[in-house]
Amino acid sequence: MAYQFLVFAVAVAATAASVLPGELPLAPAPLLARTVVSEPYDPNPQYQFGYDVQDPLTGDSHGQVETRSGDVVQGSYNLLEADGTRRVVDYTADPVNGFNAVVSKQGATPVAAPILRSAPVPAPILSSAPVAAPILNSAPLLRASAPWAASPILPAGVPAGFNAASWPGASVFRSTPVW
């Protein structure tokens, strides 16, 4: 509740600080009149466009052609696939049938050369005297087990010579390594 009152008090103070005594608050800026210009309605819109990109440096090759007459749009686009074929998509869109596309590929799909397998070559037989593995002597890096001792967990500031058995929490122990 106090937090809500504080937020309210800050809001009132900020509002009061925006108007100095003897000064009138500024009036809002007048609204500017908008002029709406309606564009003429074309009951039979028509357009045509097309482009073609052939970039030998990057290998990019694609293009598109599209026409519109009223509510019917017809077009085609093409692109060079990674396998070297050209994908061509011819499409038509109208209010009755919706969008329909026919996809085709042009050009032969390159076929990978068959993998030729040769007859296995037998490994050469080497005869030599057996070599004994060297004997390495080193100290172990880690101990397999460490001796542990239990000591009671005592509060800070315990005087020397404190009898841990008389302390109520003496049954709680902490393990510490003794090496």
Side-chain angles (χ1 to χ4, degrees), residues 111-123:
V111 178
I115 298 173
L116 300 176
R117 302 201 185 270
S118 62
V121 177

Side-chain angles (χ1 to χ4, degrees), residues 27-44:
L31 294 176
L32 298 176
R34 272 193 175 173
T35 314
V36 178
V37 178
S38 62
E39 294 184 16
Y41 174 72
D42 186 1
N44 189 23

Side-chain angles (χ1 to χ4, degrees), residues 47-51 64-68 73-76 91 99:
Y47 67 82
Q48 292 183 10
F49 80 90
Y51 67 90
Q64 181 177 3
V65 176
E66 184 174 293
T67 61
R68 177 177 180 179
V73 178
Q74 293 179 330
S76 173
Y91 58 90
F99 181 82

